[in-house]
Amino acid sequence: MINFVLRTNLPVSSRVAVGDGALQEADRLLQQCEIGKRILVLCQPSTRQLFANPLVDLLSAGGYDVDLMELPDGEACKEHSVLLDVWSRLQDKNFGRADCLLAVGGGAVSDLAGFAASTYLRGIKLVLVPTTLLAQVDAAIGGKTGINLPAGKNLAGTFYFPSAILVDPQTLRHLPERQMRSGFGEIIKYALIESTVLASTEFRGGPRSLLAVLQDAVKEPLDCDNPSLAGIITACIKMKLAVVAKDPQEGRLRRCLNLGHTLGHAIEKISNYGCTHGEAVAIGLVFACRLAERLAKLPAEQTAVLIQLLQAAQLPTTVPEGLPKERLVETMKFDKKRVGQTIKFVLPAGVLGNVELDADVHPDNLLELL
Ligand SMILES: NC(=O)c1ccc[n+]([C@@H]2O[C@H](COP(=O)([O-])OP(=O)(O)OC[C@H]3O[C@@H](n4cnc5c(N)ncnc54)[C@H](O)[C@@H]3O)[C@@H](O)[C@H]2O)c1
């Protein structure tokens, strides 16, 4: 059952459907988005049988002319050769601007599909069906697209908003446990920015804070049967959409979504992606708290609360052994804009839930703290 359909007031308004059974409603939702008759479904090897084939059948029965392309798994799908293949297929099939690319899978396929859709004919319709927890709460929400270049990850990208996003928590039933935990790394980040989002956007939270909800949720296994899961996913999506609606292109407020990501990105890169995105963000969140403690912006007890939650979710809290600290600091310096001698960080402030968007940090503090 779909528990909400929400229109956002973004450059392109997006319909977001969240709930068990959202996939079965795909043809009805697409009709509301007034897309053309042609759809190219992009999937990953893991999502072809499970979700893409049934979607092709459903949409074909609904009168659409549907084609399917299976892309390489993981980051390999974000290479420019794959982008060329997708553009070529769109051209072979004579796609026009009203026709649609529909991505079914994790953040890798939604990033590639978004980039392809935003650039082909200067923009065709896009629909996303995220099937990893990370993609449902983060990668498919917010309009950032990207592909990787030989020099680094996500170096070419656009801001481009899908016509619809269909989030069905039941698709997570097949997700490996580690990928599920990785999604919780990103979810815990949302708990750490909730008060700032409440104060700065139209987001209206539930009766309890996301932090309190998560502290209860981790008492049960963090799988598809966790009774809090659908509510948690919905809260994160609403929070991200509220931030993005206020600041679509990361002028200032949107930076709060990067909490924990400065060290997180460096860990992903230096570990050669041995750490998943959510694991690296989890470590980055603890680091941001410690940095805030050092600058007398956060009491140590607040960091302890975070660490307890991360450990209950079986996420790492310290930098893995063997990663050279100097290289992490160098990578962090490049990740951030320098202003004079200091670099700007998003840091927890006062209490978990509240963040300062541009705290000044001297690079020497980073190495000492690591
Ligand atoms: N655009 C954004 O705002 C944004 C934000 C965060 C991350 N990202 C990007 O997202 C990517 C990471 O996303 P991800 O963690 O979803 O990784 P992913 O897309 O590589 O998926 C992880 C693995 O899960 C498999 N999978 C997907 N759905 C499944 C299911 N339901 N059951 C079983 N297996 C399934 C995939 O085939 C893959 O092997 C990175 O490229 C990152 O840069 C983008």
Side-chain angles (χ1 to χ4, degrees):
M1 199 191 20
I2 293 175
N3 49 33
F4 77 90
V5 178
L6 188 130
R7 265 175 196 266
T8 56
N9 197 16
L10 299 167
V12 172
S13 80
S14 296
R15 281 165 188 273
V16 187
V18 187
D20 294 350
L23 282 196
Q24 280 85 52
E25 302 279 337
D27 55 339
R28 193 177 60 79
L29 283 159
L30 261 55
Q31 267 151 22
Q32 293 171 4
C33 298
E34 294 169 2
I35 66 163
K37 276 289 160 215
R38 294 186 187 86
I39 300 176
L40 174 58
V41 175
L42 301 179
C43 67
Q44 292 171 308
S46 61
T47 60
R48 183 175 189 145
Q49 299 289 345
L50 289 170
F51 317 117
N53 286 344
L55 260 176
V56 170
D57 293 344
L58 179 74
L59 296 171
S60 303
Y64 291 101
D65 175 4
V66 193
D67 190 17
L68 175 71
M69 229 176 135
E70 179 183 311
L71 305 185
D73 202 30
E75 289 300 301
C77 129
K78 288 172 66 173
E79 285 177 16
H80 53 71
S81 58
V82 177
L83 176 69
L84 282 177
D85 290 344
V86 172
W87 280 338
S88 303
R89 183 74 78 99
L90 294 171
Q91 199 193 4
D92 290 346
K93 296 282 173 180
N94 214 9
F95 266 54
R97 278 191 174 165
D99 295 325
C100 177
L101 259 186
L102 187 156
V104 192
V109 71
S110 56
D111 271 10
L112 181 281
F115 191 81
S118 67
T119 45
Y120 190 72
L121 300 181
R122 298 196 180 86
I124 63 173
K125 298 265 186 177
L126 173 68
V127 170
L128 300 178
V129 180
T131 62
T132 64
L133 184 56
L134 186 92
Q136 294 189 347
V137 297
D138 189 19
I141 315 294
K144 279 190 185 175
T145 83
I147 61 163
N148 301 335
L149 298 182
K153 231 172 105 86
N154 296 330
L155 283 182
T158 54
F159 286 100
Y160 195 69
F161 294 93
S163 300
I165 307 166
L166 311 186
V167 178
D168 188 338
Q170 285 303 317
T171 58
L172 304 176
R173 203 160 279 289
H174 308 271
L175 198 64
E177 199 191 320
R178 188 177 179 198
Q179 295 292 345
M180 196 75 184
R181 283 203 303 271
S182 178
F184 269 92
E186 212 42 85
I187 286 171
I188 291 171
K189 174 209 73 185
Y190 282 105
L192 268 55
I193 61 172
E194 187 175 21
S195 309
T196 296
V197 178
L198 277 167
S200 328
T201 71
E202 291 181 5
F203 173 69
R204 292 290 158 262
R208 301 163 72 216
S209 70
L210 181 59
L211 185 61
V213 171
L214 289 174
Q215 282 167 327
D216 274 349
V218 293
K219 292 176 189 156
E220 313 249 357
L222 292 178
D223 57 23
C224 220
D225 295 318
N226 190 300
S228 309
L229 185 65
I232 289 170
I233 293 173
T234 305
C236 295
I237 292 174
K238 286 185 170 176
M239 217 186 286
K240 183 157 183 184
L241 286 173
V243 171
V244 170
K246 199 85 194 267
D247 179 14
Q249 301 203 344
E250 209 164 300
R252 185 160 188 273
L253 177 68
R254 188 170 176 160
R255 274 187 251 153
C256 71
L257 299 168
N258 297 337
L259 178 65
H261 283 60
T262 310
L263 178 62
H265 283 151
I267 291 175
E268 275 184 282
K269 190 166 178 198
I270 304 301
S271 73
N272 220 358
Y273 301 97
C275 272
T276 65
H277 183 71
E279 289 165 354
V281 168
I283 301 165
L285 291 176
V286 177
F287 182 75
C289 283
R290 295 262 186 247
L291 208 47
E293 272 181 44
R294 172 167 286 230
L295 300 173
K297 293 172 190 288
L298 189 78
E301 308 83 68
Q302 293 289 300
T303 311
V305 170
L306 170 66
I307 290 176
Q308 204 178 17
L309 179 60
L310 291 169
Q311 285 174 342
Q314 296 178 41
L315 282 161
T317 56
T318 53
V319 175
E321 290 289 313
L323 290 191
K325 312 275 190 290
E326 291 77 8
R327 285 189 62 202
L328 289 173
V329 173
E330 277 313 303
T331 311
M332 279 195 274
K333 280 194 212 163
F334 278 110
D335 192 55
K336 286 280 142 189
K337 283 200 189 81
R338 261 170 185 266
V339 180
Q341 285 303 301
T342 60
I343 44 184
K344 298 280 181 199
F345 258 77
V346 182
L347 290 184
V351 62
L352 296 182
N354 211 32
V355 286
E356 184 180 340
L357 291 171
D358 34 30
D360 287 317
V361 177
H362 197 282
D364 289 349
N365 276 328
L366 302 177
L367 191 58
E368 272 172 45
L369 205 60
L370 281 170

